[in-house]
PDB file of all heavy atoms in Angstrom:
ATOM      1  N   HIS A  84     -10.025  48.713 -14.884  1.00 98.00           N
ATOM      2  CA  HIS A  84     -11.042  47.690 -15.189  1.00 98.00           C
ATOM      3  C   HIS A  84     -12.285  47.920 -14.334  1.00 98.00           C
ATOM      4  O   HIS A  84     -12.235  48.594 -13.311  1.00 98.00           O
ATOM      5  CB  HIS A  84     -10.478  46.296 -14.895  1.00 98.00           C
ATOM      6  CG  HIS A  84     -10.106  46.109 -13.454  1.00 98.00           C
ATOM      7  ND1 HIS A  84     -10.937  45.514 -12.515  1.00 98.00           N
ATOM      8  CD2 HIS A  84      -8.990  46.477 -12.759  1.00 98.00           C
ATOM      9  CE1 HIS A  84     -10.330  45.497 -11.337  1.00 98.00           C
ATOM     10  NE2 HIS A  84      -9.156  46.079 -11.455  1.00 98.00           N
ATOM     11  N   VAL A  88     -13.923  40.926  -8.256  1.00 98.00           N
ATOM     12  CA  VAL A  88     -13.835  39.572  -7.690  1.00 98.00           C
ATOM     13  C   VAL A  88     -15.208  39.260  -7.084  1.00 98.00           C
ATOM     14  O   VAL A  88     -16.173  39.980  -7.307  1.00 98.00           O
ATOM     15  CB  VAL A  88     -12.711  39.497  -6.624  1.00 98.00           C
ATOM     16  CG1 VAL A  88     -11.342  39.689  -7.246  1.00 98.00           C
ATOM     17  CG2 VAL A  88     -12.924  40.503  -5.500  1.00 98.00           C
ATOM     18  N   ASP A  95     -11.810  48.960  -6.422  1.00 98.00           N
ATOM     19  CA  ASP A  95     -10.800  48.217  -7.185  1.00 98.00           C
ATOM     20  C   ASP A  95     -11.112  48.306  -8.685  1.00 98.00           C
ATOM     21  O   ASP A  95     -12.152  47.841  -9.135  1.00 98.00           O
ATOM     22  CB  ASP A  95     -10.818  46.751  -6.723  1.00 98.00           C
ATOM     23  CG  ASP A  95      -9.842  45.877  -7.485  1.00 98.00           C
ATOM     24  OD1 ASP A  95      -9.173  46.386  -8.422  1.00 98.00           O
ATOM     25  OD2 ASP A  95      -9.749  44.684  -7.156  1.00 98.00           O
ATOM     26  N   GLU A 129      -9.967  41.713 -15.925  1.00 98.00           N
ATOM     27  CA  GLU A 129      -8.703  41.990 -15.235  1.00 98.00           C
ATOM     28  C   GLU A 129      -8.547  41.029 -14.054  1.00 98.00           C
ATOM     29  O   GLU A 129      -7.450  40.584 -13.722  1.00 98.00           O
ATOM     30  CB  GLU A 129      -8.699  43.434 -14.745  1.00 98.00           C
ATOM     31  CG  GLU A 129      -7.369  43.914 -14.198  1.00 98.00           C
ATOM     32  CD  GLU A 129      -7.127  43.530 -12.746  1.00 98.00           C
ATOM     33  OE1 GLU A 129      -8.073  43.113 -12.064  1.00 98.00           O
ATOM     34  OE2 GLU A 129      -5.970  43.612 -12.320  1.00 98.00           O
ATOM     35  N   GLU A 130      -9.652  40.689 -13.397  1.00 98.00           N
ATOM     36  CA  GLU A 130      -9.520  39.909 -12.164  1.00 98.00           C
ATOM     37  C   GLU A 130      -9.159  38.441 -12.416  1.00 98.00           C
ATOM     38  O   GLU A 130      -8.585  37.794 -11.542  1.00 98.00           O
ATOM     39  CB  GLU A 130     -10.824  39.991 -11.345  1.00 98.00           C
ATOM     40  CG  GLU A 130     -11.113  41.369 -10.796  1.00 98.00           C
ATOM     41  CD  GLU A 130     -10.084  41.823  -9.769  1.00 98.00           C
ATOM     42  OE1 GLU A 130      -9.149  41.075  -9.477  1.00 98.00           O
ATOM     43  OE2 GLU A 130     -10.219  42.950  -9.269  1.00 98.00           O
ATOM     44  N   GLY A 131      -9.530  37.908 -13.552  1.00 96.00           N
ATOM     45  CA  GLY A 131      -9.152  36.530 -13.827  1.00 96.00           C
ATOM     46  C   GLY A 131      -9.868  35.513 -12.956  1.00 96.00           C
ATOM     47  O   GLY A 131      -9.461  34.358 -12.852  1.00 96.00           O
ATOM     48  N   ASP A 137      -5.418  36.396 -15.204  1.00 96.00           N
ATOM     49  CA  ASP A 137      -5.921  37.735 -14.883  1.00 96.00           C
ATOM     50  C   ASP A 137      -5.217  38.739 -15.804  1.00 96.00           C
ATOM     51  O   ASP A 137      -4.307  38.408 -16.543  1.00 96.00           O
ATOM     52  CB  ASP A 137      -5.759  38.059 -13.402  1.00 96.00           C
ATOM     53  CG  ASP A 137      -4.334  37.959 -12.895  1.00 96.00           C
ATOM     54  OD1 ASP A 137      -3.473  37.452 -13.633  1.00 96.00           O
ATOM     55  OD2 ASP A 137      -4.096  38.392 -11.764  1.00 96.00           O
ATOM     56  N   MET A 138      -5.692  39.957 -15.785  1.00 97.00           N
ATOM     57  CA  MET A 138      -5.257  41.008 -16.707  1.00 97.00           C
ATOM     58  C   MET A 138      -5.370  40.534 -18.158  1.00 97.00           C
ATOM     59  O   MET A 138      -4.584  40.910 -19.032  1.00 97.00           O
ATOM     60  CB  MET A 138      -3.835  41.478 -16.420  1.00 97.00           C
ATOM     61  CG  MET A 138      -3.676  42.312 -15.157  1.00 97.00           C
ATOM     62  SD  MET A 138      -3.699  41.341 -13.665  1.00 97.00           S
ATOM     63  CE  MET A 138      -2.136  40.530 -13.752  1.00 97.00           C
ATOM     64  N   GLN A 194      -4.551  48.730  -2.300  1.00 98.00           N
ATOM     65  CA  GLN A 194      -5.000  47.383  -1.918  1.00 98.00           C
ATOM     66  C   GLN A 194      -4.054  46.740  -0.901  1.00 98.00           C
ATOM     67  O   GLN A 194      -4.150  45.554  -0.633  1.00 98.00           O
ATOM     68  CB  GLN A 194      -5.133  46.464  -3.152  1.00 98.00           C
ATOM     69  CG  GLN A 194      -6.124  46.988  -4.185  1.00 98.00           C
ATOM     70  CD  GLN A 194      -6.301  46.075  -5.368  1.00 98.00           C
ATOM     71  OE1 GLN A 194      -5.398  45.949  -6.191  1.00 98.00           O
ATOM     72  NE2 GLN A 194      -7.449  45.430  -5.473  1.00 98.00           N
ATOM     73  N   ILE A 214       4.058  37.350 -10.938  1.00 96.00           N
ATOM     74  CA  ILE A 214       2.884  36.569 -10.530  1.00 96.00           C
ATOM     75  C   ILE A 214       2.975  35.180 -11.149  1.00 96.00           C
ATOM     76  O   ILE A 214       3.307  35.043 -12.339  1.00 96.00           O
ATOM     77  CB  ILE A 214       1.580  37.243 -11.032  1.00 96.00           C
ATOM     78  CG1 ILE A 214       1.451  38.664 -10.475  1.00 96.00           C
ATOM     79  CG2 ILE A 214       0.360  36.408 -10.657  1.00 96.00           C
ATOM     80  CD1 ILE A 214       0.246  39.431 -11.034  1.00 96.00           C
ATOM     81  N   TRP A 216       0.552  31.726 -11.223  1.00 97.00           N
ATOM     82  CA  TRP A 216      -0.718  31.067 -10.860  1.00 97.00           C
ATOM     83  C   TRP A 216      -0.678  29.611 -11.356  1.00 97.00           C
ATOM     84  O   TRP A 216      -0.278  29.366 -12.518  1.00 97.00           O
ATOM     85  CB  TRP A 216      -1.885  31.750 -11.550  1.00 97.00           C
ATOM     86  CG  TRP A 216      -2.435  32.972 -10.863  1.00 97.00           C
ATOM     87  CD1 TRP A 216      -1.885  33.656  -9.801  1.00 97.00           C
ATOM     88  CD2 TRP A 216      -3.641  33.658 -11.195  1.00 97.00           C
ATOM     89  NE1 TRP A 216      -2.691  34.728  -9.474  1.00 97.00           N
ATOM     90  CE2 TRP A 216      -3.769  34.741 -10.298  1.00 97.00           C
ATOM     91  CE3 TRP A 216      -4.630  33.464 -12.149  1.00 97.00           C
ATOM     92  CZ2 TRP A 216      -4.855  35.627 -10.347  1.00 97.00           C
ATOM     93  CZ3 TRP A 216      -5.708  34.352 -12.202  1.00 97.00           C
ATOM     94  CH2 TRP A 216      -5.811  35.417 -11.302  1.00 97.00           C
ATOM     95  N   ASP A 287      -1.337  30.920  -5.823  1.00 98.00           N
ATOM     96  CA  ASP A 287      -0.978  32.263  -6.292  1.00 98.00           C
ATOM     97  C   ASP A 287       0.319  32.627  -5.578  1.00 98.00           C
ATOM     98  O   ASP A 287       0.323  32.827  -4.368  1.00 98.00           O
ATOM     99  CB  ASP A 287      -2.113  33.249  -5.945  1.00 98.00           C
ATOM    100  CG  ASP A 287      -1.813  34.689  -6.364  1.00 98.00           C
ATOM    101  OD1 ASP A 287      -0.644  35.127  -6.255  1.00 98.00           O
ATOM    102  OD2 ASP A 287      -2.757  35.404  -6.756  1.00 98.00           O
ATOM    103  N   ARG A 289       3.728  35.203  -5.507  1.00 97.00           N
ATOM    104  CA  ARG A 289       4.169  36.496  -6.041  1.00 97.00           C
ATOM    105  C   ARG A 289       5.466  36.938  -5.356  1.00 97.00           C
ATOM    106  O   ARG A 289       5.688  36.650  -4.185  1.00 97.00           O
ATOM    107  CB  ARG A 289       3.106  37.579  -5.816  1.00 97.00           C
ATOM    108  CG  ARG A 289       1.743  37.151  -6.305  1.00 97.00           C
ATOM    109  CD  ARG A 289       0.852  38.276  -6.657  1.00 97.00           C
ATOM    110  NE  ARG A 289      -0.517  37.780  -6.846  1.00 97.00           N
ATOM    111  CZ  ARG A 289      -1.493  38.527  -7.329  1.00 97.00           C
ATOM    112  NH1 ARG A 289      -1.266  39.795  -7.649  1.00 97.00           N
ATOM    113  NH2 ARG A 289      -2.697  38.031  -7.495  1.00 97.00           N
ATOM    114  N   GLY A 356       1.939  45.305  -5.170  1.00 96.00           N
ATOM    115  CA  GLY A 356       1.798  43.888  -4.796  1.00 96.00           C
ATOM    116  C   GLY A 356       0.758  43.199  -5.667  1.00 96.00           C
ATOM    117  O   GLY A 356       0.821  42.001  -5.918  1.00 96.00           O
ATOM    118  N   ALA A 357      -0.202  44.004  -6.141  1.00 96.00           N
ATOM    119  CA  ALA A 357      -1.273  43.430  -6.972  1.00 96.00           C
ATOM    120  C   ALA A 357      -0.894  43.521  -8.446  1.00 96.00           C
ATOM    121  O   ALA A 357      -0.086  44.355  -8.853  1.00 96.00           O
ATOM    122  CB  ALA A 357      -2.574  44.201  -6.744  1.00 96.00           C
ATOM    123  N   GLY A 358      -1.522  42.665  -9.237  1.00 97.00           N
ATOM    124  CA  GLY A 358      -1.372  42.750 -10.685  1.00 97.00           C
ATOM    125  C   GLY A 358      -2.302  43.829 -11.208  1.00 97.00           C
ATOM    126  O   GLY A 358      -3.332  44.117 -10.606  1.00 97.00           O
ATOM    127  N   HIS A 359      -1.902  44.458 -12.304  1.00 98.00           N
ATOM    128  CA  HIS A 359      -2.731  45.525 -12.893  1.00 98.00           C
ATOM    129  C   HIS A 359      -2.567  45.548 -14.418  1.00 98.00           C
ATOM    130  O   HIS A 359      -1.551  45.078 -14.945  1.00 98.00           O
ATOM    131  CB  HIS A 359      -2.321  46.894 -12.338  1.00 98.00           C
ATOM    132  CG  HIS A 359      -2.581  47.042 -10.879  1.00 98.00           C
ATOM    133  ND1 HIS A 359      -3.844  47.149 -10.339  1.00 98.00           N
ATOM    134  CD2 HIS A 359      -1.724  47.079  -9.819  1.00 98.00           C
ATOM    135  CE1 HIS A 359      -3.758  47.248  -9.026  1.00 98.00           C
ATOM    136  NE2 HIS A 359      -2.482  47.198  -8.679  1.00 98.00           N
ATOM    137  N   HIS A 383     -10.307  43.471  -2.113  1.00 98.00           N
ATOM    138  CA  HIS A 383     -10.944  42.186  -2.476  1.00 98.00           C
ATOM    139  C   HIS A 383     -11.825  41.743  -1.318  1.00 98.00           C
ATOM    140  O   HIS A 383     -11.861  40.580  -0.937  1.00 98.00           O
ATOM    141  CB  HIS A 383      -9.894  41.121  -2.821  1.00 98.00           C
ATOM    142  CG  HIS A 383      -9.313  41.327  -4.186  1.00 98.00           C
ATOM    143  ND1 HIS A 383      -8.457  40.428  -4.804  1.00 98.00           N
ATOM    144  CD2 HIS A 383      -9.448  42.339  -5.079  1.00 98.00           C
ATOM    145  CE1 HIS A 383      -8.118  40.864  -6.006  1.00 98.00           C
ATOM    146  NE2 HIS A 383      -8.699  42.037  -6.197  1.00 98.00           N
TER     147      HIS A 383
HETATM  148  O1  HGY B   1      -4.654  39.355  -8.981  1.00 70.69           O
HETATM  149  C1  HGY B   1      -4.457  40.571  -8.911  1.00 70.69           C
HETATM  150  O2  HGY B   1      -3.477  41.006  -8.353  1.00 70.69           O
HETATM  151  C2  HGY B   1      -5.432  41.537  -9.522  1.00 70.69           C
HETATM  152  O3  HGY B   1      -6.374  41.908  -8.533  1.00 70.69           O
HETATM  153  N1  HGY B   1      -6.093  40.973 -10.665  1.00 70.69           N
END
Side-chain angles (χ1 to χ4, degrees):
H84 61 96
V88 294
D95 178 357
E129 189 277 346
E130 293 295 0
D137 57 350
M138 288 77 72
Q194 300 182 289
I214 301 175
W216 276 11
D287 178 323
R289 309 205 192 189
H359 295 289
H383 283 187

